[in-house]
Amino acid sequence: MGLLNKIFGDSAEIKEEYVLPWITLNNLGQLNHIEEKSNKKTQVIFKHSTRCGISSMVMRQFVDAYNFREKDLDLYYLDLINFREVSNEVSYKFQVIHESPQLLVIKNGTAVAHASHGEVNNIDLSRFI
């Protein structure tokens, strides 16, 4: 069993998994709240397409690299397939062309940074805290 445990891991070994402090973005009213809160704390919106392999890959990379605390910024998750109207309004309200996956950084009521596809993980969020 020792060799199998070395190869496959010990089933008794518990790996701690960090769960991001996602706030589900699923209604239009939240956008005004995000805009207001951005005057005091950075707001980040991750727009994700649950039907897109690239979006899933980018999201995994984002989650793996994320190292901020809840007090640093608010992190919103938007399933743009199920909440298309909200996704469209995010684009309109913050004047950013819709893409997927997409990350928007909101400060003082405006999008101060945004990126899509592989560029999502190139945004240095620490600059906006």
Side-chain angles (χ1 to χ4, degrees):
M1 270 315 222
L3 178 59
L4 291 177
N5 285 342
K6 286 181 183 176
I7 295 172
F8 298 109
D10 185 354
S11 61
E13 183 181 312
I14 298 172
K15 294 183 181 179
E16 186 175 327
E17 184 177 324
Y18 178 67
V19 177
L20 268 56
W22 293 113
I23 301 166
T24 303
L25 177 53
N26 57 14
N27 72 69
L28 294 172
Q30 288 176 280
L31 297 180
N32 288 332
H33 187 65
I34 289 170
E35 184 178 30
E36 288 173 24
K37 285 175 60 179
S38 74
N39 291 313
K40 294 182 179 169
K41 183 178 179 184
T42 302
Q43 307 291 295
V44 176
I45 299 172
F46 190 104
K47 292 171 65 175
H48 173 58
S49 170
T50 55
R51 295 183 189 157
C52 175
I54 291 172
S55 190
S56 293
M57 178 187 71
V58 169
M59 180 176 227
R60 275 192 305 276
Q61 292 169 343
F62 179 80
V63 168
D64 288 345
Y66 192 88
N67 61 354
F68 301 97
R69 297 168 302 206
E70 285 185 62
K71 73 176 188 115
D72 296 331
L73 48 85
D74 289 333
L75 181 61
Y76 290 85
Y77 169 83
L78 173 58
D79 173 347
L80 61 91
I81 300 297
N82 287 316
F83 301 100
R84 176 64 70 184
E85 182 182 19
V86 177
S87 178
N88 290 340
E89 187 61 24
V90 166
S91 298
Y92 177 76
K93 184 171 196 67
F94 298 111
Q95 297 297 295
V96 175
I97 294 173
H98 163 77
E99 295 189 76
S100 153
Q102 187 173 42
L103 190 76
L104 287 82
V105 180
I106 313 298
K107 279 191 76 95
N108 299 317
T110 62
V112 294
H114 62 90
S116 66
H117 298 85
E119 295 302 309
V120 163
N121 292 307
N122 291 334
I123 292 182
D124 180 5
L125 292 175
S126 64
R127 291 183 27 223
F128 304 103
I129 296 175

